[in-house]
Amino acid sequence: MTDAVRVEGLWKSYGKKRILKGVDLQVSKGEIFALLGVNGAGKTTTLECMEGLRPYEEGRIALNGRMGIQLQSASLPGHMKGREALKLFAKWNRVSPDPAMLEALEIRELEHKQYQELSTGQKRRLHLALALLGNPDLVFLDEPTAGLDVEGRIALHEYIRKLKSQGKTIFLTSHDMAEVESLCDRIGILKNGFLVFVGTAMELTEKIGRHYQIHIKTQEGEETYESQDIGETLTAILKNCRERNVTIQDIRVDCGSLEEHFVKIAKEE
């Protein structure tokens, strides 16, 4: 098996409600892949089925390598100290904690604090450190930066890129589209139980259709034009400004963000 993850025909229901309706997905080794979808689309359910934490009715899931898992919602005993949690998980995995990993996630400052004393962001950093203790080949991250401050997010992004450089596969969910666009090689979009898109952010742009916003600043103020043909629109704008003897001070062109494209797919029937 050359894929790190292979999912074929995955069906999952809660009672009479179908959540997943035949999901097929492949993720390559060394890839950072994000699963996107609105709340209730089935992202966490898909991850939990792959992680072996939730049963499913039909389908096949094959994973290649040792797993590390950071759950969206997890907890430790309130009186347990960070150092005790690290020792316990290290003993389970028969490993010694990687000092570089602990330093990157700033875990040393949490070692002598009780779990109940930690902030949400500190708990998530500790959970991630515990997930990485066993030196996994495949890392599942469910909303990894939720509750982190800006510095914490930047540090975590850098560490995720480091994991990729080591050949590890990262499978994550996130509501932060800027984070996904910055980190991920490919994305998948879940909608109504189906995987309606799998590919790169650029391929999603091509699927949706390029939609440019052209921002022009002159001595008269700022104006924004929308266009699907940037060359034709820019030519018309420049001609109009020249005829009116208006000096252009700045031009900025946006081709649409991942968030805008995701929202458009989410709203489509």
Side-chain angles (χ1 to χ4, degrees), residues 25-254:
L25 177 63
Q26 290 82 38
V27 178
S28 301
K29 289 182 180 179
E31 184 175 18
I32 302 179
F33 184 91
L35 187 62
L36 309 179
V38 298
N39 289 335
K43 302 184 299 297
T44 295
T45 296
T46 303
L47 256 68
E48 290 177 347
C49 288
M50 289 192 290
E51 294 160 351
L53 301 176
R54 194 171 296 279
Y56 48 93
E57 291 85 52
E58 299 178 37
R60 178 176 177 270
I61 297 174
L63 305 178
N64 191 352
R66 188 183 181 95
M67 281 194 298
I69 301 170
Q70 182 198 38
L71 300 174
Q72 185 181 58
S73 178
S75 184
L76 295 169
H79 65 275
M80 178 177 280
K81 293 182 179 179
R83 177 182 56 187
E84 295 169 338
L86 289 168
K87 286 185 177 180
L88 178 61
F89 277 69
K91 187 172 182 179
W92 281 344
N93 287 280
R94 299 179 181 178
V95 297
S96 297
D98 178 7
M101 181 268 289
L102 299 180
E103 183 70 23
L105 296 177
E106 300 179 1
I107 299 299
R108 295 298 186 192
E109 65 184 59
L110 313 179
E111 289 187 337
H112 300 287
K113 292 184 177 181
Q114 291 186 340
Y115 186 78
Q116 61 193 4
E117 299 174 334
L118 302 180
S119 67
T120 300
Q122 289 173 328
K123 288 177 180 177
R124 296 195 72 79
R125 279 162 40 205
L126 178 59
H127 296 163
L128 179 56
L130 297 177
L132 297 174
L133 272 178
N135 191 27
D137 306 295
L138 173 60
V139 184
F140 289 103
L141 304 176
D142 200 348
E143 300 288 345
T145 56
L148 293 182
D149 57 20
V150 174
E151 291 183 357
R153 284 171 182 256
I154 293 172
L156 181 55
H157 290 174
E158 290 177 353
Y159 196 75
I160 289 175
R161 292 187 182 99
K162 180 180 178 182
L163 292 174
K164 174 181 169 63
S165 71
Q166 295 171 352
K168 301 186 185 300
T169 306
I170 315 295
F171 194 115
L172 62 87
T173 70
S174 178
H175 283 98
D176 186 338
M177 295 298 160
E179 171 178 87
V180 170
E181 197 163 11
S182 169
L183 286 176
C184 297
D185 300 301
R186 291 190 306 144
I187 60 175
I189 300 179
L190 268 177
K191 181 180 178 183
N192 297 329
F194 300 97
L195 205 55
V196 296
F197 174 81
V198 177
T200 66
M202 183 61 68
E203 288 169 343
L204 179 59
T205 298
E206 298 297 337
K207 176 181 174 67
I208 295 297
R210 290 189 177 275
H211 186 74
Y212 298 97
Q213 287 190 332
I214 304 171
H215 308 277
I216 304 289
K217 181 180 180 182
T218 69
Q219 69 267 32
E220 296 178 349
E222 296 187 22
E223 292 185 72
T224 298
Y225 303 85
E226 295 189 356
S227 172
Q228 292 183 335
D229 188 332
I230 186 173
E232 181 178 327
T233 305
L234 269 175
T235 299
I237 292 171
L238 294 173
K239 181 180 178 182
N240 178 265
C241 289
R242 190 163 52 247
E243 291 174 348
R244 292 163 49 216
N245 199 27
V246 172
T247 301
I248 295 176
Q249 298 173 339
D250 186 43
I251 297 178
R252 189 176 80 255
V253 179
D254 297 329

